[in-house]
Amino acid sequence: MRSVLTSVVWITTILSIFALYAIKSDTRQLEVRVRDMDRQVNRTADEIADLQARWSALTKPERIDRLAREHLGYGPLAPRQFATLDEIAQAANEARSR
Amino acid sequence: MTSTAQRPSRRIRNLQRLRTSRIHRRRTFVSGLIVFAGFALVAGQLVRHGLASGPSISLAAAKPLARSWARPDITDRRGRLLATDIATPSLFADPALLVDVDEVISFLRPIFPKLDWRALRDRLDNRKSRFVWIKRGVSHELTQRITALGLPGLAFRQELRRTYPSGAATAHVIGYVDIDNHGKSGIETFVQDVIGVDATDGAVRSKRAPVRLTMDLGVQHVLRSELAAGQKRYGARAAAGIIMDVNTGAVIATASLPDFDPDNAQQALDPNRLDRITSGRYELGSVFKAVTLAGALELGVATPRSRFDTRAPLKVGKYTIAETGDKRGMLDLQDIFIRSSNVGSARIGLKMGRARMESFFSTLGLTDKMSTERGPLTAPKLPKHWRDAHTMTMSYGHGIAVTPLQFASATAALINGGRRVYPRFVEIAKLPKPTQVIAPDVSHEMRRLFRLNVASRDGTGRAAAVPGYQVGGKTGTADQPKNAEYADGRVISSFVGAFPMGEPKYLTYILLFEPQAAATGGKTSAKDTAAPLTGRIIRRVAPMLGIAPSYPGGDG
């Protein structure tokens, strides 16, 4: 009876050691994956920050203003170019009645 | 005999067998114990390693070689990016691993010709040193070229570098940082000291929320480009301007030309490039009459109908204050304001007296040091010994020098219903409760005078009119002292305005420094320079600020 119990303990211990080793090994692999993913996230965040900075530089009002003048012939908006929807409707009716 | 002889020997054998069996059992037990202890040790080690976090070796390798700061982004009030951190490679050397210092220098010198190679050679020759910066912030193209050289002992390290996508447009407000990303001026100092930055040994970006400014990048561009055009048109040495929310003190745009490139912060040290809005203090001239008149109304010194004699010149010490042309006569407050009468203002100042004038100026924050998130403004300059002569000259803006931002915030209180405002550059969740410093009816009267000065045919601010926006304001052409004397032709022409005057929302204060007679046909005064420039700016920014034009009676 005692020898059976001893054998069970031994087998359980050995199995536990193998299981622990397997878990440890898996954990290490997962840690490596997490580190890789962290690196990838940081790299992507850096790339996004870089692109946002480039986008902001490309769309800064100074540049858009220059491009609109040079290539489209646009100028700044004048107050007379603003009207309420009612005013537009009224102008449309007047044009139609004419 | 035999049986008796055998008996003891059997007993002895039995005893010996018993002893042997005990010894075997003990040995087995000890052996088992040793084997168990061995397995327990292995199992214990496995458990320990399983529970232990992070290998200590990598921590040792990550020992800080150079520390910099991760900073939060800065955006305008619409969320447009004004400043951000970018991960950039920086080149360093490990002198202990360099094979031939001369060879390394011969390869790198053509790539970085501006580096101080003599000093760098001394540092690279020190083989005990394990870390020497060669160039911080290297472009990706150069990084590839250097990597292709394959020189041992050279390596790159990712670092955070501050970038300003809006360039010079917001340079004065945002300020700049040093090589370690440490804030050195403007909002960058505020971010460093108040918002908070994070020390980093690598290129880990800040996770803090962006700092949102009150500025609008579109309005800022219009202000800056119109100031540049005005500076050129009028041949001015410099130009500056502010657009401010009259109710909250939020600075929507501010520019001071010439400005500087934030990527070349050395330029900021040039005195000609200082921010004249916050760092320069000036005698601003007749724009101060608005403050004097508001004080007279508020303190009961005068009513809108009170008349003052401007026919005879006023003697002030060795100076004489005199009027010309249509400014002579018995003028009421309205006439004094729109004709910009110095004698009339001086008489009001004299009636008010030094004590009440000083107290009123103080109420508006014109005599005390003022601070914003960007740091302290240059302190006002007041007379050392305040005499009646000063009271008279200060009534029309001479003898007192303040920063334009301080003056703009005082003027805001005159027209916003009488509430004191404090200029600010950073959006905040909840504004402090405003203090009433002027009676609402006095503020209402000031609005009427401001509007009249632009809308009436006699007003000095006529050129600032913009159809649909009911602009109001006051001109100021101030002679500038040079070596304690006022020099001819050396003036600051400025216009403080607001729109729409029915319920003012925004204040503008535009200044031209030393416009040239040659460029303006001799018309350097504010009514011919700063006022029309203000009109051009309001015409463009009012729609951007969401104010719809209205034409009550086809007004202008």
Side-chain angles (χ1 to χ4, degrees):
Chain A
M1 184 62 194
R2 273 181 66 189
S3 62
V4 172
L5 194 66
T6 308
S7 302
V8 168
V9 168
W10 275 116
I11 289 165
T12 309
T13 306
I14 290 164
L15 285 176
S16 299
I17 288 167
F18 277 113
L20 195 62
Y21 181 79
I23 290 169
K24 170 70 184 168
S25 174
D26 287 350
T27 308
R28 275 187 181 165
Q29 283 175 10
L30 285 171
E31 276 177 355
V32 169
R33 271 187 66 194
V34 166
R35 272 201 294 273
D36 282 349
M37 287 167 86
D38 268 350
R39 258 197 294 271
Q40 212 171 324
V41 166
N42 286 337
R43 205 177 301 135
T44 308
D46 286 346
E47 283 169 8
I48 290 170
D50 196 26
L51 289 171
Q52 275 176 338
R54 282 167 195 250
W55 176 254
S56 299
L58 289 171
T59 57
K60 66 180 175 185
E62 194 181 336
R63 184 170 178 271
I64 299 293
D65 188 348
R66 185 170 49 79
L67 294 177
R69 283 174 199 270
E70 285 176 8
H71 299 289
L72 302 173
Y74 285 176
L77 286 169
R80 284 281 174 196
Q81 288 172 279
F82 289 83
T84 61
L85 288 175
D86 289 342
E87 287 166 346
I88 293 169
Q90 193 182 338
N93 285 337
E94 282 173 10
R96 211 173 293 136
S97 64
R98 262 189 259 126
Chain B
M1 182 69 191
T2 311
S3 64
T4 45
Q6 276 177 344
R7 235 180 251 164
S9 67
R10 193 180 296 154
R11 202 182 298 154
I12 286 166
R13 272 204 303 276
N14 284 343
L15 275 172
Q16 280 174 338
R17 205 176 294 141
L18 190 65
R19 195 184 296 158
T20 309
S21 136
R22 272 186 190 159
I23 287 169
H24 281 168
R25 257 189 288 167
R26 199 175 294 155
R27 280 179 183 166
T28 308
F29 178 74
V30 170
S31 304
L33 204 64
I34 290 169
V35 170
F36 179 77
F39 274 113
L41 202 66
V42 171
Q45 282 288 75
L46 279 172
V47 171
R48 193 175 70 82
H49 281 297
L51 293 178
S53 63
S56 58
I57 298 162
S58 68
L59 279 177
K63 196 179 163 191
L65 297 168
R67 174 160 287 186
S68 68
W69 304 92
R71 313 176 64 80
D73 289 349
I74 300 174
T75 70
D76 81 344
R77 65 178 185 159
R78 292 171 191 258
R80 285 176 288 203
L81 197 62
L82 304 178
T84 189
D85 281 346
I86 298 289
T88 315
S90 287
L91 179 64
F92 72 93
D94 182 347
L97 299 179
L98 290 179
V99 178
D100 183 349
V101 173
D102 290 332
E103 185 195 27
V104 169
I105 292 176
S106 71
F107 276 119
L108 293 182
R109 195 194 291 268
I111 299 173
F112 305 115
K114 288 181 181 173
L115 288 185
D116 180 0
W117 285 104
R118 189 175 292 180
L120 208 52
R121 178 193 293 274
D122 291 342
R123 288 160 64 203
L124 292 176
D125 277 337
N126 178 12
R127 296 301 175 118
K128 285 181 189 166
S129 162
R130 299 299 308 268
F131 186 89
V132 173
W133 278 126
I134 292 182
K135 172 75 178 163
R136 296 174 78 176
V138 182
S139 71
H140 291 284
E141 292 77 17
L142 291 184
T143 305
Q144 282 175 359
R145 268 178 69 184
I146 294 162
T147 308
L149 294 173
L151 294 168
L154 292 185
F156 288 94
R157 185 179 168 79
Q158 290 290 107
E159 279 198 301
L160 293 177
R161 305 278 292 175
R162 202 63 163 163
T163 305
Y164 302 98
S166 53
T170 53
H172 274 131
V173 173
I174 293 178
Y176 55 90
V177 297
D178 66 10
I179 192 80
D180 292 321
N181 245 13
H182 190 278
K184 284 294 177 191
S185 82
I187 294 296
E188 291 288 25
T189 314
F190 175 75
V191 169
Q192 186 83 31
D193 299 338
V194 181
I195 303 290
V197 294
D198 306 291
T200 175
D201 301 321
V204 182
R205 288 169 46 75
S206 171
K207 292 187 169 54
R208 292 170 189 265
V211 178
R212 191 175 285 255
L213 301 189
T214 56
M215 294 179 68
D216 183 307
L217 191 57
V219 177
Q220 176 71 17
H221 160 65
V222 172
L223 175 66
R224 187 167 173 267
S225 62
E226 286 293 346
L227 282 176
Q231 187 187 3
K232 196 175 169 190
R233 184 180 300 121
Y234 304 119
R237 191 167 64 85
I242 313 163
I243 299 175
M244 178 194 274
D245 186 319
V246 292
N247 295 307
T248 65
V251 177
I252 308 298
T254 171
S256 175
L257 301 176
D259 46 22
F260 66 94
D261 177 2
D263 292 327
N264 185 6
Q266 284 291 322
Q267 286 183 348
L269 305 175
D270 177 355
N272 197 38
R273 294 179 189 273
L274 71 86
D275 183 6
R276 287 170 167 78
I277 294 295
T278 57
S279 303
R281 64 180 176 198
Y282 309 98
E283 295 187 7
L284 295 171
S286 294
V287 286
F288 248 81
K289 286 172 187 159
V291 179
T292 305
L293 263 63
L297 292 169
E298 175 68 19
L299 300 168
V301 172
T303 67
R305 292 171 184 231
S306 302
R307 288 178 176 274
F308 292 85
D309 189 355
T310 66
R311 289 169 297 189
L314 263 178
K315 280 284 219 181
V316 189
K318 57 180 179 177
Y319 301 103
T320 304
I321 305 171
E323 295 293 15
T324 55
D326 66 345
K327 295 180 185 176
R328 290 200 198 105
M330 288 300 291
L331 304 183
D332 61 14
L333 255 57
Q334 178 178 306
D335 288 331
I336 289 170
F337 191 80
I338 67 171
R339 294 183 194 181
S340 202
S341 162
N342 286 352
V343 174
S345 279
R347 288 202 184 280
I348 294 171
L350 214 50
K351 196 175 175 189
M352 197 187 295
R354 177 217 158 147
R356 287 195 287 183
M357 179 181 271
E358 190 174 5
S359 163
F360 187 69
F361 281 9
S362 172
T363 306
L364 294 176
L366 286 167
T367 55
D368 306 315
K369 285 183 181 175
M370 187 179 266
S371 264
T372 69
E373 300 92 337
R374 291 169 57 189
L377 273 60
T378 301
K381 189 179 180 191
L382 299 162
K384 277 182 190 159
H385 307 288
W386 192 323
R387 300 193 176 90
D388 280 350
H390 295 116
T391 306
M392 286 192 279
T393 58
M394 282 164 70
S395 71
Y396 56 87
H398 284 277
I400 178 170
V402 297
T403 60
L405 184 60
Q406 200 156 358
F407 178 74
S409 60
T411 309
L414 303 185
I415 52 172
N416 71 359
R419 297 177 306 277
R420 173 94 192 260
V421 296
Y422 297 89
R424 59 186 178 85
F425 292 89
V426 178
E427 287 283 16
I428 47 175
K430 197 178 174 192
L431 287 168
K433 202 177 172 208
T435 318
Q436 193 76 29
V437 287
I438 299 169
D441 59 333
V442 171
S443 178
H444 195 266
E445 177 63 11
M446 291 311 298
R447 288 180 190 178
R448 192 184 72 81
L449 292 176
F450 267 60
R451 175 66 186 138
L452 204 62
N453 195 33
V454 174
S456 82
R457 286 181 59 184
D458 304 329
T460 54
R462 273 184 67 198
V466 180
Y469 283 109
Q470 296 89 48
V471 177
K474 179 74 189 83
T475 51
T477 308
D479 291 324
Q480 288 306 290
K482 189 177 185 181
N483 304 326
E485 294 288 332
Y486 288 96
D488 278 347
R490 198 165 174 271
V491 298
I492 294 177
S493 295
S494 67
F495 186 84
V496 62
F499 63 96
M501 281 318 296
E503 188 72 44
K505 286 192 167 56
Y506 295 100
L507 175 142
T508 58
Y509 188 32
I510 306 300
L511 304 99
L512 288 161
F513 294 81
E514 298 178 33
Q516 297 301 304
T520 57
K523 294 178 174 177
T524 56
S525 67
K527 68 175 183 176
D528 298 311
T529 55
L533 180 56
T534 300
R536 280 192 287 275
I537 291 167
I538 292 176
R539 186 182 160 85
R540 286 180 66 183
V541 302
M544 296 171 78
L545 291 167
I547 299 178
S550 66
Y551 304 92
D555 112 288

